Amino acid sequence: VQLVESGGGLVQAGGSLRLSCAASRSTFSISAMGWYRQAPGKQRELVAAITSGGGSTSYANSVKGRFTISRDNAKNTVYLQMNSLKPEDTAVYDCNTVPIDRGSWGQGTQVTVSS
């Protein structure tokens, strides 16, 4: 499946961004999805995940209470609402299935949070 992320940008600490990830296939609706991020010099981490039907979500401790993952299966799209952003949230954000489908990485979207 092809994935196209958008919505990143430069924001001040405390600000908000909403990321979107559009999938190319209708089989998107049967896949658990996640948002991943990788900061320079660090390993990629899973920050939020959502089940195929959207009924259950999970978050990394570092973003819990600030980020919200959601999905619209009719639009083959998953979202990440990010509030109260911190400089340490600066990273390239990607979406992918959970577990990862290594053939489906998109170009990612850069999020930069200034202090």
Side-chain angles (χ1 to χ4, degrees), residues 29-109:
S29 65
I30 64 172
S31 303
M33 295 296 297
W35 280 97
Y36 302 79
R37 71 183 181 187
Q38 187 167 22
K42 295 188 177 181
Q43 288 189 330
R44 179 181 282 120
E45 63 171 334
L46 175 65
V47 297
I50 188 167
T51 52
S52 58
S56 181
T57 58
S58 61
Y59 299 92
N61 287 335
S62 58
V63 306
K64 199 170 294 184
R66 300 188 296 121
F67 290 11
T68 302
I69 188 171
S70 61
R71 67 191 296 160
D72 184 340
N73 286 345
K75 297 181 178 180
N76 288 354
T77 302
V78 61
Y79 305 97
L80 186 67
Q81 178 67 44
M82 305 187 296
N83 298 329
S84 302
L85 283 161
K86 304 176 181 180
E88 51 263 43
D89 294 319
T90 295
V92 175
Y93 285 71
D94 292 277
C95 66
N96 205 314
T97 55
V98 179
I100 288 172
D101 176 353
R102 297 188 182 279
S104 293
W105 289 114
Q107 83 288 353
T109 187

Side-chain angles (χ1 to χ4, degrees), residues 8-12 17 85-87 89-91 93 110-114:
L10 173 64
V11 63
Q12 288 188 333
L17 285 172
L85 283 161
K86 304 176 181 180
D89 294 319
T90 295
Y93 285 71
Q110 175 71 46
V111 172
T112 303
V113 185
S114 62

